[in-house]
Amino acid sequence: MRYYLRRAAFYTITVWAAISLNFLIPRLMPGDPAEIMLAKMARSGEVAPGVERTIRLLLGSDTDQTMWEQYVAYWGNLLRGDLGVSVTKFPTPVVELISAALPWSIGLLGLATVISFVVGIAAGAWIGWKRGTWVDHIIPGSTLLQSLPYFWVALLLVYGFAVVNPWFPRIGGYDVFTFDGPEVTGAFVGSVIYHGVLPALTVVLSSFGGWLLGMRNMMVSTMSEDYITTAEAKGLRRSRILLGYAVRNAALPSIAGFGISLAFVVTGAIVMEQVFTYPGLGKLMITAVQGNDFALMQGLFLVITLTVLAATFLMDIVYGFVDPRTRHNG
């Protein structure tokens, strides 16, 4: 119980620090979102003082408040689920923009990460089990794919399967000429899957090699342990030794890494989403940076930070159950 209480206390303090930094850093950066918005409005004519005051209140740039008052107000808005108003998509609330983009990143990158993990772990376990045979030659190819940049793999896939051979679409998350927006129909789901093949394939090809190599090395290390030798001496079936002893123990480090990888799904694959113009959080982040949209950037950073911390905390809890040694050493 002490282990879990210590972890809970640590993550509570970390969440407070992350939220406080998320409040402070944009206010220390040069530039003012309200000034940017007012400058855009001034191009169409003079801005009335009342409008200027409203804009500053909406964007959290009220100069009449001290830093501490802004900090207290920030916490109050945060607890109400108010992350401010976007400048680039004014007057759309930041929460709406993130809520619209989040399912796209989770759906695409979450599924691609799971596929990459399963393929990499299964292939790594098999190669580690058959170490010293011809299957070891698979490793250099998978490692090469992992070393290639995301955008380069994405551009190759676009060129090969969308330009030279137009089998898949190049941009978008669905067919905008057929559907006005997201809807719960079989045709729309099919369009989403069709548009997501190349982006998902980009993620899988660029990441499964790391899982494969890590699992293979852990399998080789695990196969030299005394309990494997004892199991073989007892005459246990090879399949039982593989699944019940070798894979079960060799996969423990990968499970922890998998939890962290799932947490980073919400960050979006920024470059990949830009190449395919995919409507996820990565594309939204680029829009926020290009438009100096501090409120949107702040909201995105907060969602990413809290998601990563929540996933890390969950994996600490799960890992404590999977490997009891963690509780004693932690």
Side-chain angles (χ1 to χ4, degrees):
M1 182 59 67
R2 285 199 301 269
Y3 167 78
Y4 297 115
L5 290 176
R6 284 198 301 270
R7 304 313 295 169
F10 170 78
Y11 280 104
T12 300
I13 296 173
T14 305
V15 166
W16 168 80
I19 293 176
S20 298
L21 286 173
N22 195 56
F23 162 81
L24 187 61
I25 290 175
R27 285 161 175 78
L28 297 178
M29 294 173 60
D32 183 352
E35 292 294 341
I36 295 172
M37 188 66 194
L38 291 170
K40 292 180 180 179
M41 296 177 66
R43 297 171 187 169
S44 302
E46 186 178 354
V47 180
V51 175
E52 179 178 349
R53 169 71 172 172
T54 302
I55 294 296
R56 291 191 179 279
L57 288 173
L58 280 173
L59 300 180
S61 301
D62 188 6
T63 55
D64 294 336
Q65 289 183 320
T66 64
M67 185 70 75
W68 173 252
E69 290 173 336
Q70 292 181 39
Y71 181 68
V72 173
Y74 174 75
W75 270 99
N77 293 334
L78 188 62
L79 294 176
R80 291 193 300 269
D82 182 6
L83 298 179
V85 178
S86 170
V87 173
T88 53
K89 304 289 184 179
F90 188 83
T92 307
V94 169
V95 172
E96 291 186 13
L97 294 174
I98 295 177
S99 299
L102 188 59
W104 293 98
S105 289
I106 292 178
L108 173 69
L109 298 178
L111 181 60
T113 301
V114 171
I115 293 174
S116 175
F117 175 77
V118 172
V119 172
I121 292 300
W126 178 58
I127 293 174
W129 182 255
K130 299 288 186 180
R131 64 194 184 283
T133 64
W134 64 271
V135 295
D136 278 337
H137 296 296
I138 299 175
I139 296 175
S142 64
T143 305
L144 175 63
L145 286 174
Q146 184 192 8
S147 65
L148 297 177
Y150 266 105
F151 73 90
W152 199 74
V153 176
L155 291 174
L156 284 180
L157 292 177
V158 167
Y159 180 75
F161 300 103
V163 177
V164 177
N165 302 297
W167 298 337
F168 297 100
R170 286 180 283 178
I171 61 173
Y174 60 92
D175 187 356
V176 296
F177 299 104
T178 304
F179 305 97
D180 295 329
E183 56 185 58
V184 186
T185 61
F188 180 78
V189 172
S191 178
V192 170
I193 294 174
Y194 181 53
H195 280 73
V197 169
L198 291 184
L201 189 59
T202 300
V203 177
V204 172
L205 289 177
S206 300
S207 59
F208 88 97
W211 299 116
L212 184 151
L213 182 61
M215 185 63 182
R216 187 263 179 192
N217 292 338
M218 285 304 301
M219 278 291 293
V220 171
S221 177
T222 302
M223 291 301 296
S224 63
E225 296 289 343
D226 292 338
Y227 57 84
I228 298 293
T229 304
T230 303
E232 292 174 342
K234 288 181 177 179
L236 298 180
R237 295 191 307 273
R238 298 282 290 172
S239 59
R240 183 179 177 185
I241 296 174
L242 171 63
L243 299 176
Y245 292 85
V247 173
R248 181 179 179 182
N249 290 282
L252 286 176
S254 297
I255 292 175
F258 177 64
I260 303 301
S261 297
L262 281 181
F264 279 99
V265 161
V266 298
T267 65
I270 294 178
V271 177
M272 182 273 293
E273 291 183 5
Q274 180 71 359
V275 171
F276 291 100
T277 319
Y278 201 78
L281 290 181
K283 186 70 170 60
L284 190 61
M285 179 69 77
I286 292 178
T287 301
V289 172
Q290 291 175 339
N292 291 325
D293 194 339
F294 295 135
L296 184 53
M297 284 190 283
Q298 194 174 28
L300 287 168
F301 291 151
L302 182 63
V303 170
I304 291 168
T305 302
L306 294 182
T307 304
V308 171
L309 288 174
T312 308
F313 175 66
L314 182 61
M315 286 312 302
D316 275 351
I317 300 301
V318 171
Y319 210 71
F321 284 106
V322 174
D323 189 357
R325 294 172 298 180
T326 306
R327 298 197 298 267
H328 298 294
N329 297 330

